[in-house]
Structures are given as C-alpha cells and as structure tokens.
Amino acid sequence: MMTTVTETAAKVDAWIAKEYDSLKAALISNNTFDPDTFHDAYLSLYIAVTPDIDKNLYRKLFNAIYAEIAKNKAWQSFRSVNVQEIFFTLLKSDEDTESDEDTKEAEPYITAQEVKKYARQTLTRDQFSLFVLRFEHNLTYQQIGAYIGRGKDYAKHHTALICKTIKEHFNPQIAAV
C-alpha cells in the first residue's frame, strides 16, 4: 500500500512529538542545542522526508540536517561583523595610528553612544536606518539590501558614505585629505 504525502507528514509530526525531548536532551548534552536551529531542522526534515524513507532513519536524517543548519548559521555569523564599541574606538585612519613621539596628549576615547548620538542628529532618517541595521543589528549588506528593497551594492555604498561622514566628524584630519 502506498503512503501519501499527507500520511508521511503525519508520521513525521508524530515522530517529532514522540522524540522531541530525546532529541533536545541529546543536543543539550552536546552543548549544541539552539531552538531556532531545532525548528529549522524540523521544518527541513518535514520537507525532506518522502514516503519511501523508513521511520527508523528519521533520527539520523534529523541529526544530519541539524548539523548542516548549525554549520551554516555559524558560518553566516562569521560573515557579519559585530562592530559595537571597538569599531567606534578605531575610527581613526591608518595614518593616525603611526606613532608620533612628539605628541604627548592622549587621544580622546570615542564611545558608541557618542557616535550613535551624532549619527542620529546628523544623518537623514534613511541613512540612520542603514546605520542601525549595519552596526547595531549586524546585518550583512545583502540582508540590508533585501530588507530595504535595494541591492547589496546600494547598501554597501551608502554604508561607506555614512562611515566616511562619521569618521570625518570624529577625525577632522580625514576631511583635509
């Protein structure tokens, strides 16, 4: 007797309901449990299972899908840059990082709050939105482009202009170049 897609989906749902605690416990014991990844793996399993796959293979398939999704999420997290405080501390240009023995004054420390306040006061609403998406929410250019309905090149170009504006404000020597 052939099983239909609906029957297969029902089998997957029943299996997940039965094995949920066991799967979660195994992932927690390995320190790899992430609720979002678990949910994504469940949805992918739901899509991947066909009527000809035996119910005994669901766990192996789920674990493989979970591992692949976790690996992709980890890789994606390295593609985006979390700049927070350190970005704003390092706004100086490369020429300014060379040691000047004549200069005895300590360089002022620029906080993220100062930069954000300046950005809010100076940038247009759209520019400030790009600023927040890139530097607070740590979205990639591609994600920003998709979010605002433009391409990643648009997001990259305008983010670079925003950074230039901020750098020129906090380091006036850049404006002279």
Side-chain angles (χ1 to χ4, degrees):
M1 171 184 239
M2 291 232 7
T3 54
T4 65
V5 175
T6 307
E7 291 170 340
T8 304
K11 279 176 39 179
V12 171
D13 282 337
W15 181 82
I16 282 287
K18 179 182 171 195
E19 298 293 324
Y20 176 82
D21 291 332
S22 168
L23 291 168
K24 185 177 176 181
L27 293 169
I28 288 172
S29 70
N30 292 333
N31 290 328
T32 58
F33 179 74
D34 175 55
D36 292 333
T37 305
F38 190 93
H39 181 69
D40 292 344
Y42 163 68
L43 293 175
S44 296
L45 176 70
Y46 192 79
I47 293 167
V49 170
T50 58
D52 59 324
I53 295 178
D54 185 36
K55 190 175 176 180
N56 296 329
L57 295 176
Y58 288 0
R59 178 176 288 273
K60 185 175 182 178
L61 186 57
F62 178 85
N63 288 333
I65 291 170
Y66 186 92
E68 184 66 25
I69 291 172
K71 180 180 80 172
N72 288 338
K73 283 186 176 188
W75 180 79
Q76 181 67 29
S77 72
F78 289 115
R79 288 187 64 210
S80 61
V81 180
N82 185 353
V83 290
Q84 300 302 325
E85 289 282 338
I86 191 70
F87 173 78
F88 303 113
T89 304
L90 302 175
L91 280 175
K92 299 183 341 178
S93 66
D94 290 337
E95 300 93 42
D96 295 335
T97 58
E98 296 172 6
S99 64
D100 290 338
E101 295 174 22
D102 315 56
T103 309
K104 306 261 186 208
E105 265 181 50
E107 293 290 323
Y109 181 77
I110 303 166
T111 65
Q113 290 79 16
E114 291 172 320
V115 174
K116 187 174 179 181
K117 181 179 177 184
Y118 172 76
R120 182 178 285 125
Q121 292 171 347
T122 307
L123 302 174
T124 65
R125 190 178 70 198
D126 292 340
Q127 289 174 326
F128 185 70
S129 294
L130 279 175
F131 174 83
V132 169
L133 290 171
R134 180 68 178 138
F135 299 114
E136 284 190 10
H137 297 295
N138 304 318
L139 297 182
T140 64
Y141 296 123
Q142 187 171 0
Q143 291 169 327
I144 294 170
Y147 183 79
I148 63 174
R150 303 275 182 116
K152 73 176 184 179
D153 292 333
Y154 175 89
K156 188 174 185 177
H157 173 72
H158 286 278
T159 303
L161 292 176
I162 291 166
C163 288
K164 183 179 180 202
T165 301
I166 292 171
K167 284 179 182 180
E168 288 173 350
H169 174 74
F170 287 100
N171 190 351
Q173 289 103 8
I174 294 175
V177 174

